[in-house]
């Protein structure tokens, strides 16, 4: 009975913590691995298409659209980052006009929505469009790992299991184009200490990217970035809509 009462109270508190801004039940599903299980069963890729991973709670709709090359790091903080690549189909054909919705945490591991009044609104997020050759490119800042919200029932569960609350550093993307399946995904930095212990089990080997250190004043100037900077090339491959 004691265990049953604890379970009922735990689930009741989980519901009571959920608001428009905080969905403790989804976080519970994420940290128990259920979100990734459902996501993986539903998004099987067999022809080298970009794999998907969890959406998470920090995506917001209606963010600014930018031209390629724009800088989404509005406060200029953090290690400068150049992100570029292409969007193609599984046969290698460039997809023009694909939308790339990106969002990420800053160098301290916080999203703009967690630091209202500290970070500018819409810091480190925005929507880009691939050009005629399927290319996209933008400027940003190297992200840091961060803890998921652990001041509620999910935190109690993690503590009871002696688990850490951290997510390894990543950039989120939702990539969509007419006639193709939308992919919700991340790219992970390769050197993050939490890569093997993601609190929500969202890491897939195919999503770990190479973020190169670049020390080249000419290349920095061409990209309107300070030197040195980091650079990551990431090519998205979309599946045809079924
Ligand atoms: C995120 O990556 O933003 C995230 C994903 C799942 C739970 C919490 C945060
Ligand atoms: Fe995230």
């Amino acid at each position: 009975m004691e265990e049953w009462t604890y379970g009922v109270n735990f689930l009741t508190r989980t519901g009571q913590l959920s608001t428009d801004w905080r969905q403790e039940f989804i976080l519970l599903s994420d940290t128990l691995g259920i979100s990734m299980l459902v996501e993986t069963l539903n998004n099987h890729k067999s022809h080298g298409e970009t794999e998907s991973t969890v959406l998470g709670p920090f995506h917001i709709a209606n963010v600014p659209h930018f031209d390629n090359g724009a800088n989404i790091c509005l406060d200029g903080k953090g290690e400068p980052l150049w992100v570029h690549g292409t969007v193609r189909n599984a046969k290698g054909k460039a997809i023009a006009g694909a939308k790339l919705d990106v969002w990420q945490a800053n160098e301290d591991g916080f999203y703009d929505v967690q630091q209202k009044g500290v970070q500018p609104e819409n810091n480190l997020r925005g929507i880009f469009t691939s050009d005629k050759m399927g290319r996209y490119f933008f400027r940003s800042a190297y992200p840091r790992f961060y803890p998921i919200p652990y001041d509620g029932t999910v935190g109690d569960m993690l503590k009871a299991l002696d688990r850490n609350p951290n997510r390894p550093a990543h950039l989120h993307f939702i990539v969509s184009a007419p006639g193709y399946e939308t992919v919700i995904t991340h790219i992970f930095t390769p050197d993050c200490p939490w890569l093997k212990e993601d609190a929500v089990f969202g890491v897939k080997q195919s999503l770990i990217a190479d973020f190169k250190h670049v020390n080249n004043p000419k290349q920095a100037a061409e990209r309107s970035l300070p030197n040195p900077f980091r650079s990551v090339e990431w090519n998205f491959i979309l599946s045809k809509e079924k």
Side-chain angles (χ1 to χ4, degrees):
M1 276 314 285
E2 205 184 316
E3 194 175 356
W4 179 88
T5 307
Y6 187 89
V8 168
N9 285 337
F10 178 89
L11 292 173
T12 304
R13 281 191 296 135
T14 303
Q16 286 166 344
L17 276 167
S18 300
T19 64
D20 284 351
W21 282 103
R22 177 169 185 157
Q23 235 298 1
E24 193 78 1
F25 265 115
I26 296 183
L27 201 58
L28 186 59
S29 159
D30 293 345
T31 48
L32 292 175
I34 297 167
S35 305
M36 275 309 285
L37 175 66
V38 173
E39 185 282 321
T40 302
L41 288 173
N42 282 288
N43 294 293
H44 178 66
K45 306 289 184 217
S46 47
H47 300 101
E49 296 97 332
T50 303
E51 290 195 286
S52 50
T53 186
V54 279
L55 173 66
F58 299 119
H59 175 257
I60 54 181
N62 304 321
V63 294
H65 288 248
F66 291 109
D67 288 338
N68 278 309
N71 193 349
I72 57 170
C73 180
L74 305 181
D75 57 8
K77 285 177 67 181
E79 193 176 0
L81 173 65
W82 179 248
V83 187
H84 68 117
T86 53
V87 184
R88 296 181 182 278
N89 69 15
K91 292 185 180 152
K93 182 175 163 281
I95 302 175
K99 298 283 176 226
L100 299 108
D101 185 344
V102 58
W103 70 104
Q104 62 164 94
N106 70 2
E107 61 164 354
D108 299 322
F110 291 103
Y111 288 86
D112 57 348
V113 290
Q114 297 175 292
Q115 288 193 311
K116 291 192 174 160
V118 176
Q119 291 187 47
E121 194 180 352
N122 290 325
N123 195 30
L124 297 168
R125 58 176 81 234
I127 299 177
F128 292 86
T129 305
S130 61
D131 68 11
K132 275 190 203 137
M133 295 167 77
R135 293 174 306 195
Y136 74 92
F137 43 97
F138 62 90
R139 290 171 285 158
S140 189
Y142 199 66
R144 203 194 78 147
F145 66 88
Y146 61 84
I148 58 162
Y150 62 96
D151 57 344
T153 46
V154 166
D156 294 349
M157 182 273 288
L158 293 176
K159 257 175 253 138
L161 293 174
D162 202 16
R163 283 177 49 190
N164 87 82
N166 292 315
R167 291 225 62 208
H170 55 271
L171 275 74
H172 291 258
F173 283 92
I174 300 178
V175 186
S176 57
Y180 293 93
E181 291 196 353
T182 296
V183 65
I184 299 174
T185 191
H186 304 356
I187 59 177
F188 292 94
T189 69
D191 51 0
C192 184
W194 299 105
L195 208 48
K196 290 200 162 57
E197 293 180 66
D198 184 359
V200 305
F201 310 99
V203 180
K204 291 179 178 173
Q205 193 60 37
S206 73
L207 302 179
I208 302 172
D210 184 12
F211 287 71
K212 292 188 164 49
H213 289 271
V214 183
N215 188 345
N216 183 322
K218 185 167 172 281
Q219 284 188 17
E222 283 164 2
R223 290 161 178 71
S224 303
L225 282 172
N227 189 58
F229 63 97
R230 294 271 197 148
S231 179
V232 60
E233 176 178 3
W234 197 253
N235 299 318
F236 292 94
I237 305 179
L238 302 187
S239 322
K240 276 241 179 302
E241 210 164 48
K242 284 182 199 111

